[in-house]
Amino acid sequence: MKRGLSYIICANIVIVIFVGGFVNLNTVVAYTDLNVGDQLLYTVDVYDQHKTEHKKWFEFNPPPEYYENSYWYIHNWDFYAQDVHSYVINQDFGSFAYVNHTYTLYDLMDYYYDESYYWDISSWIPNGPPTSQNITLDYKYSNLNPDEYFDIYSGVVNLDITDNFGSTWYNTSTTLPFTINGITQPIFVDIYSYEYTDSYMNFYGYYDVTYWETVNWGQLLTYYVDNATGYILQYDYTYYDYRDADYSNTSVELGTYLEVEYHYKDLYTSVWKLEETSVGYTPVLDADLPSMVIKSYDNTVDNTTSMISIPFYINNVYSTVTIDVYIAGAYFDTFASNNAGLKFYDIPVSAIPFDGPYWSYQLRFDVFDDYNPNHNTTWTTWVDDYRTTIPSWGPSWIEGPIDATVYEGDSWFYYNVYSDTNWTVAIYKHDGFGYIFYDWWVGFQNDSIGFWDFLSMGTYDYWIHFYDNVGVFQDIYLTVEVLDDILLEYPQINGHAPGEIDYHIGDSKTMFWTLNDDNPNYFEFLLDGAILDSGSWTDGKTFGLNLKDWIFTPGDYNITIIASDMTGYVSFYELIIHATDGTSVDTVPPSINGPTSTIYMEVGEDKEIKWVLFDDNPFEYEVFKNGALYDNDTWITPNIDVIVDLDTLGLGTWTFEIKAYDTLGYNNTATVTVVVEEASGNNNDGQTIQLDAPNILYVALGFLSVTALIAVYRKKK
């Protein structure tokens, strides 16, 4: 919640309920001591829920210098995971034990839900429909903590897996069903618990208005201990933090009556269950997870490297394991191993893909226990690729705009450059007669550049020349249309185009955005619902991020931008990022949108064919006229318009075909037939232009479309 600028006064009124403090022991009837080599395996279900709701309403808009406006925002984030923990006793000293603790964490799901409203004279108006996203993560990693220390309460609990048992109090005993080693049976258990709750109120000032915030938080621990053996069969943990504020008053400083609500909820739960054990219950099962301790995390290859060796140890109660190897997400090999000390796994460098210099590739090892393949773990390391001359292609891939529409004032233009060497960019601006030098910049491998210009109304052309020190170069021609900023009603969000993109994890990919408005107010820049930047803004505000610094696991991610102005207009932007680690690639051919029926025209008539191409990995296109190559060019940005003028065609039938290719070898084709006939002449004698009903409709729709574009410029998916 935003606190006032004038002052913040905090006063706590605390009410504490405390249950617990030390263990009131209830001795079990047939306590089972642990021995070296005994194994316990627990599964854990983890759920974490966050919810924030913030509503702020002003009867009258505060003065512009306060950057305050009415809004209502609701955000939910839920996270779900399942973990597996195995414990193998190394040493038992009666009151404590050292164990090998191997665990695997499975991140399974992220769920996001957002809705927002703005105040329009007398009611709350939605800022578009609510957005929700359920992301299946399927992310897994493992770790090993050798000789981890745990307490033992002899005669009561044989291994305190959470180190919290000493805070609990014996509660009661009862019979409950539990499933251990695959067998469900009623077990008489002792229940120990601990509860701590804390309630208090914070006193705050918001400008010259004071209010109370109510806070309720606490935690609850519950242990279910087998009364016959002393095993912890289940452990439940809950933590919560609820905060609420609801106040209204008249602010003399802001010059308005206001009403504010704020609600925050954080609820975390985890449930541990004993699933398997090698002692104490029948049938006896192997309850150990195999571990692979990789001894090197600094693996590099260059043009002189032919082989890399990965040193590792295997820890497993049973002698052998089977290991599947994945390179950059793709299956590579399977091999067997045992516990016989330090070993090495060799990988030829030729097996490592070359997506470009200065990339990192993940090596993943899935380890399966040959005695129980359901016991498996995942271990990873990375290979840093310093091969720089296979092949040598200089600045070969450049991502950035070739067409842009902006408003009067400062404008920024950004490009990502993919190169095996350092490079230079020279920027030239057309003055109406030719290109004249404007600016230059030196970049590095896989770098980004941005340049700005102060532009008034009109159309501007730039020639952007990228080159390296051996003469390899690429050119981009940028056309910028600058509109009168008096047309700005809704805030403009310019920069990387909205929609969907694919992203390979580990790549350096920088994106920027610029906000424009005559009366800016407030903005939020979010990644998957988490605010990266927010606050008041000024016309021309520019911000950005490099995906390499924020996205580390496969999945879909949302970049959202919300910008408002002082007149109450709000604009929204959304970009969906499909992040992969190499296991998924773009298999969709380029899309081609354009005319599908035959075009009929007269000789000399001003007509054209317009195709709109789209692909996440564009490469080039070719246009053929009656089978002969007519036009071709490289294709850099995901969207591009290809236009063929028809006014020079002679009498006859003409066939135009376009072929679009992407960098992954996929292509698509579209064909248009044009029939050119004799001109019929002009029979209107310069007096009257007649429009039939369809033409009138087209004109009306065109007028409405242009009017709507001027009134509301909103980018969406």
Side-chain angles (χ1 to χ4, degrees):
M1 173 182 289
K2 182 176 181 181
R3 310 302 184 191
L5 301 178
S6 300
Y7 60 90
I8 297 177
I9 302 175
C10 295
N12 291 343
I13 299 177
V14 181
I15 302 173
V16 177
I17 301 174
F18 174 74
V19 178
F22 58 90
V23 176
N24 181 2
L25 300 178
N26 184 52
T27 304
V28 302
V29 297
Y31 177 76
T32 302
D33 283 318
L34 290 172
N35 297 304
V36 174
D38 287 346
Q39 308 160 35
L40 308 173
L41 185 144
Y42 288 84
T43 60
V44 187
D45 289 316
V46 177
Y47 177 66
D48 197 1
Q49 179 187 42
H50 298 264
K51 180 176 181 179
T52 302
E53 180 177 1
H54 198 175
K55 182 190 290 185
K56 186 187 295 184
W57 177 81
F58 299 98
E59 185 177 12
F60 305 103
N61 287 332
E65 60 267 23
Y66 287 96
Y67 298 102
E68 294 284 2
N69 65 300
S70 301
Y71 67 88
W72 183 9
Y73 177 68
I74 300 172
H75 171 65
N76 289 279
W77 171 66
D78 297 342
F79 172 76
Y80 177 60
Q82 287 182 330
D83 307 337
V84 181
H85 296 254
S86 75
Y87 305 88
V88 179
I89 307 302
N90 289 339
Q91 299 179 74
D92 182 0
F93 294 96
S95 61
F96 64 92
Y98 288 104
V99 304
N100 260 9
H101 178 196
T102 305
Y103 57 92
T104 297
L105 308 182
Y106 299 82
D107 293 343
L108 297 181
M109 186 193 75
D110 266 344
Y111 173 75
Y112 297 96
Y113 177 87
D114 293 279
E115 57 181 304
S116 62
Y117 303 82
Y118 67 92
W119 183 258
D120 184 18
I121 303 177
S122 61
S123 62
W124 291 104
I125 306 298
N127 285 316
T131 60
S132 63
Q133 186 176 21
N134 193 348
I135 303 175
T136 301
L137 299 176
D138 194 23
Y139 179 63
K140 173 183 175 183
Y141 65 94
S142 305
N143 208 344
L144 168 67
N145 292 338
D147 286 331
E148 197 168 354
Y149 172 97
F150 292 98
D151 286 322
I152 292 175
Y153 296 84
S154 183
V156 181
V157 171
N158 56 26
L159 191 69
D160 180 13
I161 55 174
T162 62
D163 286 332
N164 292 321
F165 187 76
S167 301
T168 63
W169 188 275
Y170 171 72
N171 192 328
T172 187
S173 298
T174 188
T175 299
L176 296 171
F178 292 91
T179 301
I180 303 172
N181 292 348
I183 304 297
T184 301
Q185 55 187 308
I187 298 179
F188 188 63
V189 293
D190 300 327
I191 300 176
Y192 295 79
S193 61
Y194 166 88
E195 182 178 8
Y196 179 88
T197 63
D198 191 357
S199 300
Y200 59 89
M201 300 181 70
N202 289 325
F203 183 68
Y204 291 107
Y206 177 68
Y207 295 100
D208 55 343
V209 175
T210 58
Y211 67 95
W212 290 96
E213 177 191 62
T214 302
V215 180
N216 293 283
W217 76 277
Q219 55 183 343
L220 174 64
L221 289 69
T222 304
Y223 289 82
Y224 300 84
V225 180
D226 190 336
N227 179 264
T229 63
Y231 281 80
I232 296 175
L233 303 185
Q234 183 171 320
Y235 165 72
D236 298 345
Y237 174 77
T238 299
Y239 169 85
Y240 63 89
D241 183 1
Y242 303 150
R243 300 171 185 263
D244 300 278
D246 187 350
Y247 61 94
S248 60
N249 211 329
T250 297
S251 170
V252 176
E253 184 177 353
L254 298 178
T256 181
Y257 175 78
L258 58 86
E259 296 178 357
V260 177
E261 288 185 42
Y262 174 74
H263 306 285
Y264 171 79
K265 175 183 179 181
D266 179 11
L267 176 62
Y268 174 89
T269 62
S270 63
V271 178
W272 295 60
K273 293 182 179 180
L274 179 63
E275 294 286 341
E276 300 174 3
T277 176
S278 65
V279 62
Y281 302 89
T282 57
V284 174
L285 292 183
D286 162 35
D288 179 37
L289 291 178
S291 63
M292 179 177 183
V293 181
I294 300 173
K295 302 301 292 182
S296 172
Y297 290 89
D298 183 18
N299 310 295
T300 61
V301 297
D302 57 30
N303 289 82
T304 66
T305 309
S306 60
M307 188 81 67
I308 59 172
S309 291
I310 308 298
F312 66 93
Y313 289 91
I314 292 295
N315 291 296
N316 195 44
V317 171
Y318 290 87
S319 60
T320 61
V321 295
T322 299
I323 303 172
D324 290 342
V325 184
Y326 293 80
I327 301 177
Y331 172 78
F332 173 69
D333 188 22
T334 297
F335 69 98
S337 183
N338 54 28
N339 294 331
L342 179 65
K343 288 175 284 295
F344 294 86
Y345 180 73
D346 294 333
I347 300 176
V349 171
S350 59
I352 300 174
F354 184 80
D355 290 329
Y358 308 100
W359 282 43
S360 293
Y361 302 94
Q362 184 189 73
L363 300 182
R364 190 181 91 219
F365 300 88
D366 291 346
V367 182
F368 297 86
D369 187 332
D370 288 344
Y371 180 82
N372 186 348
N374 289 326
H375 290 184
N376 57 82
T377 53
T378 296
W379 309 82
T380 60
T381 185
W382 293 84
V383 174
D384 294 325
D385 193 349
Y386 288 93
R387 294 173 290 178
T388 59
T389 59
I390 308 176
S392 178
W393 28 240
S396 69
W397 179 72
I398 301 168
E399 179 187 49
I402 58 173
D403 294 289
T405 301
V406 300
Y407 288 83
E408 291 181 291
D410 288 342
S411 294
W412 280 87
F413 308 98
Y414 295 93
Y415 295 87
N416 293 315
V417 182
Y418 188 50
S419 175
D420 66 336
T421 64
N422 294 352
W423 48 269
T424 303
V425 60
I427 303 168
Y428 301 85
K429 182 177 180 180
H430 206 285
D431 65 354
F433 301 97
Y435 286 102
I436 61 173
F437 179 76
Y438 179 74
D439 200 359
W440 68 280
W441 189 261
V442 174
F444 304 94
Q445 294 93 341
N446 304 334
D447 204 352
S448 302
I449 67 109
F451 74 94
W452 72 276
D453 200 354
F454 183 87
L455 301 174
S456 55
M457 286 181 58
T459 301
Y460 300 85
D461 292 309
Y462 297 87
W463 168 30
I464 307 170
H465 180 60
F466 298 88
Y467 60 94
D468 64 13
N469 57 6
V470 296
V472 180
F473 68 91
Q474 279 211 35
D475 293 321
I476 286 182
Y477 293 91
L478 169 66
T479 299
V480 181
E481 182 182 6
V482 183
L483 305 179
D484 189 344
D485 64 3
I486 199 172
L487 300 175
L488 281 173
E489 185 173 30
Y490 280 76
Q492 302 301 304
I493 305 173
N494 301 307
H496 196 287
E500 301 185 26
I501 62 170
D502 291 330
Y503 170 65
H504 184 282
I505 294 171
D507 290 0
S508 178
K509 184 176 181 65
T510 304
M511 297 182 290
F512 293 91
W513 296 267
T514 300
L515 306 182
N516 295 105
D517 195 271
D518 291 335
N519 300 287
N521 183 13
Y522 180 79
F523 87 102
E524 289 184 352
F525 176 41
L526 307 98
L527 176 62
D528 269 0
I531 296 178
L532 305 184
D533 194 6
S534 64
S536 59
W537 59 282
T538 57
D539 185 31
K541 177 178 178 60
T542 298
F543 52 90
L545 57 71
N546 189 337
L547 297 183
K548 184 177 181 180
D549 299 329
W550 293 93
I551 296 180
F552 308 101
T553 59
D556 289 344
Y557 298 81
N558 277 63
I559 289 179
T560 306
I561 302 172
I562 306 171
S564 67
D565 63 18
M566 299 301 297
T567 57
Y569 290 103
V570 182
S571 294
F572 294 85
Y573 167 99
E574 183 180 44
L575 176 66
I576 298 177
I577 301 164
H578 304 295
T580 64
D581 58 3
T583 57
S584 300
V585 297
D586 173 20
T587 59
V588 179
S591 66
I592 304 175
N593 295 315
T596 57
S597 59
T598 301
I599 298 175
Y600 294 89
M601 59 179 289
E602 296 177 350
V603 174
E605 187 176 358
D606 185 15
K607 285 193 175 184
E608 65 181 22
I609 300 173
K610 179 180 179 180
W611 288 295
V612 179
L613 312 184
F614 176 83
D615 194 86
D616 288 324
N617 299 283
F619 179 49
E620 65 179 7
Y621 69 87
E622 297 173 327
V623 178
F624 297 86
K625 182 172 72 172
N626 286 355
L629 183 64
Y630 177 73
D631 183 29
N632 70 299
D633 202 354
T634 56
W635 172 24
I636 299 173
T637 59
N639 288 85
I640 188 174
D641 294 344
V642 179
I643 298 174
V644 177
D645 293 322
L646 305 176
D647 54 359
T648 61
L649 292 179
L651 289 173
T653 299
W654 305 86
T655 301
F656 289 88
E657 181 184 50
I658 185 170
K659 292 184 178 181
Y661 305 84
D662 66 16
T663 57
L664 302 175
Y666 295 95
N667 64 83
N668 200 359
T669 302
T671 303
V672 176
T673 300
V674 180
V675 178
V676 183
E677 302 171 334
E678 287 281 357
S680 59
N682 183 356
N683 298 318
N684 291 317
D685 296 327
Q687 301 298 316
T688 306
I689 297 176
Q690 300 291 332
L691 294 178
D692 57 20
N695 289 334
I696 294 174
L697 178 60
Y698 296 154
V699 171
L701 289 175
F703 174 77
L704 290 175
S705 299
V706 172
T707 304
L709 177 61
I710 293 175
V712 179
Y713 179 72
R714 177 177 175 184
K715 296 185 176 180
K716 64 181 181 178
K717 176 181 175 183

